[in-house]
Amino acid sequence: MNLKTLVKSMMLTAAVSLPATAAQLEISITNLTHGNHFTPILVAAHGADTSLFKAGEKASPELQKMAEGGQIDDLVTLVEGANGVTVKNPANGLLAPSGKTDKFSFDTGDRKYLSVVAMILPTNDAFIGLSNWKIPTEKGTYTLNLNGYDAGTEANNELVLEGSGMAGVLGIPVAPGKDAGTGGSGLTDSSSNDKVHIHPGVLGDLDKSGGVSDLDSRVHRWLNPVARVVVTVK
Amino acid sequence: MKMQFSKTIGGMAIVASTLILTGCPSSNDNNSQVEPPKDAPAVKQEYKVTVTNLTANQPFSPITVVAHSAEYPQYRVGEPASNALERLAESGNNSGFSSEKGVEKVASGSGELFPGNKVEVTISLDVDKLLPVSVLTMPVNTNDAFVGLSTIDVSGLAKGQTLSFRGNIYDAGTEANTESKGTVPGPAGGGQGYNSERDDINKVHIHPGVISADDGLTGSALSASHRFDNPGMSVVIERVK
């Protein structure tokens, strides 16, 4: 093959595979847990230099707020301040166990990475996480399984305490399924891992009005994966 | 656009010349002049393996990177653990791998890898023998768990390219999971590590998780935060040379 032909054929290939300038996504998210709710979900598209969290690194104050109290506003500001775009609260509130969001559209423009977070309730600082998934340029449907992470910012004492959704206030803010106990003595969390890591899972107990934990071990435990995200690249 | 173009052409040119060079000796057996001198050092490719401990409260034994032939994986689910793996999973000692069948090279981290921390282990391989690698470590507050990533093909990596993985936590199946003080070698137990007796199912499997004293196992030296879920580690392999 002479060089001229080679260059010609390569030009043709380049023209055909030129990536689209805008990605149109259609997304749905499913709660795979037995008895845990997700707080309002944040879906973000952003550049390589932005991330909502990184496993093995300390949580940002914005992530901590989300993981301890379900508040995504500060993460939204962080993403949009870095030229990212977001979909806020696609489930219109809490996403119940086995619940699934309606499909929603997301125009990610030229941003190359997708991230998803939401707090898992009732927990101290657990969240579902997808971090910097590279948005495929090839059309098709992609299924992603998400793990449950521990933000590493609060001890897992497993006690439900009103007002504890504020960052830095120890406790589980609420059990949306109204299936938690009361009067637990509080679990001792001997972990010193203050980085984002895979959540060891909640313990719970069988005592509705005492015991060590306010969580119910028959209801609130989970195993990974905890959420499924289906992304269609149009 | 223009730049992308010339890069590609350059890349193609390199590929083409490499093909020509390597094509010569095999196509002409009489040409002995191209043989390198016998004492010339083999050309090496170097790989940086970065491992992050993703568990809440399980320190890892020194990270072990093994380069081995693809026919001899360092563990197979459903089959008995090798002696080297048993020793690693019960005590964190990785000294047995270098004498396992099919093993070419072992690289080891220097100390324990604590939860939330990461470590880099470098392994260099002969360019004409780019064998697959496995990454192994023991979460030390267990009887015989190990975190494993098996038989990763790194031969296709260009310099600067990376591969990313997550590793699951397995049970070597060689020691009963009593979780007792005397049998868990990590800081939670401080007990015995390796014992050649095999008093469990003698098959490698996904670890069912630890129970802990907090969850009612009498005699367990472990507490709630020693429990774990998968994956246990993140592994990023980068070719650096």
Side-chain angles (χ1 to χ4, degrees):
Chain A
M1 189 190 282
N2 65 38
L3 190 64
K4 213 169 177 183
T5 326
L6 183 71
V7 171
K8 256 190 194 163
S9 71
M10 282 176 62
M11 276 175 86
L12 200 66
T13 317
V16 171
S17 65
L18 197 69
T21 49
Q24 286 288 344
L25 308 183
E26 196 173 75
I27 302 176
S28 70
I29 302 172
T30 306
N31 180 337
L32 301 178
T33 69
H34 173 82
N36 303 92
H37 286 71
F38 299 161
T39 59
I41 300 164
L42 172 62
V43 184
H46 50 77
D49 295 336
T50 308
S51 65
L52 304 186
F53 72 96
K54 280 183 183 156
E57 294 188 13
K58 278 199 178 180
S60 64
E62 293 88 349
L63 186 85
Q64 180 180 6
K65 248 183 156 172
M66 183 284 300
E68 295 186 16
Q71 297 167 54
I72 58 175
D73 303 5
D74 288 4
L75 281 174
V76 169
T77 307
L78 182 147
V79 170
E80 293 181 352
N83 193 32
V85 287
T86 60
V87 173
K88 300 172 273 284
N89 192 15
N92 294 314
L94 297 172
L95 186 63
S98 301
K100 187 178 177 182
T101 67
D102 292 333
K103 281 184 191 165
F104 54 93
S105 309
F106 191 16
D107 181 352
T108 55
D110 59 357
R111 295 156 191 94
K112 291 200 166 68
Y113 297 90
L114 187 76
S115 294
V116 178
V117 293
M119 182 191 184
I120 302 173
L121 280 173
T123 69
N124 287 90
D125 62 338
F127 68 96
I128 64 165
L130 175 71
S131 182
N132 292 50
W133 180 65
K134 195 161 192 186
I135 301 168
T137 47
E138 198 174 322
K139 286 180 185 179
T141 297
Y142 302 84
T143 300
L144 311 167
N145 288 328
L146 271 52
N147 292 321
Y149 289 88
D150 188 315
T153 54
E154 184 173 305
N156 297 327
N157 73 344
E158 299 191 2
L159 296 183
V160 179
L161 181 69
E162 214 180 299
S164 67
M166 294 264 288
V169 179
L170 183 61
I172 296 170
V174 65
K178 304 195 189 312
D179 42 18
T182 54
S185 60
L187 190 65
T188 304
D189 184 350
S190 50
S191 160
S192 58
N193 191 346
D194 59 359
K195 316 264 178 59
V196 174
H197 55 277
I198 294 292
H199 201 289
V202 298
L203 186 74
D205 60 29
L206 304 174
D207 192 338
K208 278 280 186 195
S209 56
V212 73
S213 169
D214 284 347
L215 303 184
D216 189 326
S217 54
R218 298 159 294 190
V219 178
H220 297 125
R221 289 189 181 187
W222 70 79
L223 288 174
N224 288 327
V226 289
R228 181 160 294 155
V229 177
V230 178
V231 180
T232 301
V233 179
K234 295 199 153 183
Chain B
M1 178 75 193
K2 210 168 193 177
M3 231 173 100
Q4 221 170 1
F5 221 44
S6 54
K7 256 191 202 161
T8 320
I9 288 178
M12 301 259 317
I14 289 165
V15 171
S17 61
T18 313
L19 279 176
I20 291 161
L21 278 174
T22 54
C24 274
S26 59
S27 62
N28 184 358
D29 289 339
N30 297 329
N31 190 349
S32 55
Q33 282 148 308
V34 295
E35 291 281 317
K38 281 218 164 70
D39 55 350
V43 181
K44 300 275 189 188
Q45 287 188 4
E46 202 169 286
Y47 299 86
K48 184 175 78 181
V49 181
T50 306
V51 178
T52 307
N53 181 334
L54 297 180
T55 69
N57 200 8
Q58 290 282 351
F60 288 170
S61 66
I63 299 300
T64 309
V65 180
V66 185
H68 56 87
S69 94
E71 293 83 65
Y72 294 102
Q74 298 309 297
Y75 63 93
R76 274 200 177 106
V77 169
E79 293 186 14
S82 68
N83 289 331
L85 183 68
E86 179 185 11
R87 197 177 281 274
L88 173 97
E90 294 185 12
S91 71
N93 180 332
N94 61 17
S95 62
F97 287 102
S98 53
S99 47
E100 283 293 324
K101 208 171 182 180
V103 170
E104 175 79 11
K105 196 161 197 182
V106 181
S108 174
S110 57
E112 274 183 292
L113 178 63
F114 289 96
N117 289 0
K118 64 187 72 168
V119 70
E120 291 169 3
V121 178
T122 302
I123 190 164
S124 60
L125 304 173
D126 290 352
V127 72
D128 55 356
K129 210 173 185 185
L130 295 174
L131 293 174
V133 297
S134 293
V135 183
L136 302 154
T137 181
M138 176 197 190
V140 295
N141 289 322
T142 65
N143 287 93
D144 62 336
F146 70 95
V147 198
L149 191 62
S150 182
T151 319
I152 304 301
D153 180 2
V154 297
S155 64
L157 278 181
K159 204 177 141 187
Q161 274 191 327
T162 60
L163 292 168
S164 297
F165 303 91
R166 295 283 176 94
N168 286 328
I169 304 177
Y170 295 87
D171 188 319
T174 56
E175 180 177 313
N177 294 332
T178 61
E179 302 178 16
S180 67
K181 215 169 174 54
T183 62
V184 170
Q192 185 191 36
Y194 174 66
N195 182 324
S196 64
E197 188 196 352
R198 297 197 176 197
D199 57 356
D200 197 8
I201 65 170
N202 203 20
K203 282 175 182 143
V204 172
H205 53 282
I206 287 286
H207 202 289
V210 297
I211 301 167
S212 82
D214 284 327
D215 205 17
L217 179 62
T218 309
S220 172
L222 308 180
S223 63
S225 68
H226 295 120
R227 296 158 70 250
F228 51 77
D229 193 1
N230 285 317
M233 66 175 175
S234 123
V235 178
V236 179
I237 304 176
E238 181 188 358
R239 187 181 144 199
V240 289
K241 268 183 204 163

